[in-house]
Amino acid sequence: MTAESTVPSPGAQPRDHGLSPVSVLPPRAAGGFRFPLRRPPARPASPAPLLAADLCAALLGATALDEATHRPVLVGLLMSGAILLRPPSARRVAGVLDELPSVCGRIAVVWLGLAAVVAAWNPDRALSARALLLGFALHTVAACAGRGLVHSRRRLALLRRPRAALVVGPAATAQRVAAAVLRHPGCGVRPVGVVAEHPEGPEGLPVLTTGEEVERALIQNGVRAVLAVHPAVRTEQGPLLRALAESGCVVWEVDADSPAYEMRDQLAGFSCRRLEMGSRRRGSIGKRVLDIAVSGSALVLVSPLLLVCAAVLRLTDGPGVVFRQERIGKDGRPFTLLKLRTHRPVDEHEAATRWSVAGEIQMSRFCRFLRQTSLDELLQLWNVLWGDMSLVGPRPERPYFVGQFSQSYPGYAARHRMQTGITGLAQINGLRGDTSIEDRARFDNAYIDNWSLWQDICILLRTAAALVRSTGS
């Protein structure tokens, strides 16, 4: 469920961005617009076969050690080095020749390192040049043979059981990409339909224009992959792609009309990259653990400061120390955000629709101090501890403005596919208060697209440094 389907529109009409969104969402269910989750997403290829091939190759290479140096410790070192320095797994490998330089280089490093260890440990039993070369040769030949066998079996499996795919984008471009992919069955992808708003275009695969047709194709063909073949698809049809991802599909963005710029992945000669459209990613548990640990510790440390600020605020500005306001969080769900009160709205309508009070003349000196130092935001640590927010993420906004901005700025609603936060990439780049919404949406989506736990830690550190010279909101 996304903000598009949960936030009421303030009445504005969607802007025309050159490519209209595809109206293929299924009928609204209780939880929002979703395709049925028929089975879990397809798992990537297991690393176990390649790991077994590398271990067997290391054992075969160890037979080159003579009796003086053929000891369990050295064999263990050789196998450990072979595991630690094994080539990284590639998503698409054409064959063992593609990774031959990497395999040979890493095996050479392992054997040279082993020779250095033996020479330093006992110079009288240093490896001879013959043993070193023979061990390297046996290890390399065995590794290439084992890896080649694994890759050939995987290619054969893809040929026998290709993944059914839907191609999303303008009909003409989608049909062209689908035809090219079908001409290269070695890709392991078999397009079964095109999702487009208008069926006009060259004949080819059936064009799906309604949610019912897409859902039927998902079930009947066991669709496991989605190819987005137009630059505007990710922005204009984000809800559709996320619904397909939640149904168990892997989403790929295919560069259909531009030169094949250098990318890690290729599909039938097209540059492509995988899009992480799901709300849960690897490391999301670590993100929640970090939120609980930091927010809990911070609340204990700043609780005396919060009590002092609350007392001074009560004495100088009267009752009503805590300010509560409805905000939109992850997946468009509303929650109550907590802050120290620095302004008294005239009524609920002003609280919900007034954009900024940073320059409020009637604001007291102490309230202005709280805003300039961001001390009024400290109560949001309770929201983080409770699970309504995260320490790092897109800043939450009120429903009125979410409805407006989602209509006016491409990509704004997509911010809600991740938990909102106290700080974020947009904030540490100066986008606080009355700043560009378009820039905020771009930075927030860039943060989500490239999320990592280390990025969260870096943003927290930069936020802490920025608080020293904060100018407030």
Side-chain angles (χ1 to χ4, degrees), residues 323 343-354 357 360 362:
F323 180 70
H343 172 70
R344 291 185 183 275
V346 175
D347 51 31
E348 292 185 3
H349 181 266
E350 183 192 41
T353 61
R354 184 171 179 180
V357 296
E360 180 65 44
Q362 299 178 352

Side-chain angles (χ1 to χ4, degrees), residues 214-445:
V214 174
E215 185 172 353
R216 192 180 306 116
L218 287 175
I219 298 173
Q220 292 180 351
N221 298 282
V223 173
R224 306 307 300 272
V226 177
L227 308 181
V229 297
H230 193 278
V233 170
R234 184 155 56 102
T235 299
E236 301 289 353
Q237 303 177 17
L240 167 65
L241 296 182
R242 285 191 290 276
L244 290 169
E246 290 172 358
S247 73
C249 297
V250 177
V251 182
W252 293 87
E253 185 177 59
V254 179
D255 197 351
D257 296 314
S258 301
Y261 297 109
E262 181 179 359
M263 284 190 182
R264 183 179 176 183
D265 296 298
Q266 300 283 331
L267 180 68
F270 296 109
S271 297
C272 63
R273 68 187 184 99
R274 181 171 176 174
L275 299 180
E276 297 290 347
M277 305 297 297
S279 57
R280 290 189 63 85
R281 300 186 180 185
R282 292 181 181 178
S284 58
I285 297 178
K287 182 178 178 67
R288 181 58 186 152
V289 170
L290 177 67
D291 287 342
I292 295 175
V294 175
S295 62
S297 303
L299 280 172
V300 173
L301 293 175
V302 304
S303 55
L305 178 61
L306 284 173
L307 290 175
V308 171
C309 291
V312 174
L313 195 60
R314 174 66 173 82
L315 293 174
T316 58
D317 279 59
V321 172
V322 178
F323 180 70
R324 297 173 175 85
Q325 191 175 67
E326 185 182 42
R327 298 289 179 100
I328 297 299
K330 182 181 177 183
D331 294 331
R333 291 190 294 265
F335 70 96
T336 301
L337 180 136
L338 304 177
K339 294 176 66 174
L340 288 177
R341 177 189 48 77
T342 57
H343 172 70
R344 291 185 183 275
V346 175
D347 51 31
E348 292 185 3
H349 181 266
E350 183 192 41
T353 61
R354 184 171 179 180
W355 173 239
S356 176
V357 296
E360 180 65 44
I361 300 177
Q362 299 178 352
M363 189 181 297
S364 68
R365 183 174 301 177
F366 181 69
C367 291
R368 188 171 289 107
F369 166 77
L370 290 178
R371 292 186 66 85
Q372 289 176 346
T373 57
S374 297
L375 291 176
D376 60 327
E377 309 279 355
L378 288 179
L379 273 182
Q380 292 170 38
L381 292 171
W382 283 109
N383 291 112
V384 175
L385 191 63
W386 189 253
D388 294 327
M389 295 175 62
S390 176
L391 290 170
V392 182
R395 283 294 295 167
E397 193 46 76
R398 286 160 283 179
Y400 174 83
F401 291 108
V402 170
Q404 282 195 336
F405 297 156
S406 297
Q407 298 281 347
S408 303
Y409 300 100
Y412 184 86
R415 301 162 67 252
H416 299 92
R417 68 187 190 273
M418 178 171 276
Q419 192 76 284
T420 55
I422 296 179
T423 185
L425 185 63
Q427 283 65 48
I428 63 174
N429 282 278
L431 297 171
R432 304 178 66 227
D434 193 11
T435 54
S436 170
I437 302 301
E438 182 179 1
D439 289 350
R440 289 196 202 185
R442 186 173 62 255
F443 274 94
D444 288 337
N445 283 305

Side-chain angles (χ1 to χ4, degrees), residues 160-206:
R160 290 177 175 175
R161 295 184 298 275
R163 292 184 181 182
L166 293 177
V167 187
V168 184
T173 303
Q175 293 285 10
R176 178 166 55 86
V177 171
V181 173
L182 287 173
R183 288 194 297 268
H184 296 82
C187 298
V189 176
R190 178 175 56 88
V192 295
V194 168
V195 181
E197 183 178 16
H198 304 291
E200 293 85 356
E203 295 184 358
L205 296 177

Side-chain angles (χ1 to χ4, degrees), residues 71-104:
R71 297 187 178 184
V73 174
L74 296 183
V75 176
L77 288 175
L78 180 63
M79 297 183 66
S80 299
I83 294 174
L84 294 176
L85 294 180
R86 54 195 298 265
S89 298
R91 287 177 180 160
R92 298 180 183 274
V93 178
V96 69
L97 292 178
D98 296 287
E99 56 183 8
L100 181 61
S102 177
V103 171
C104 293

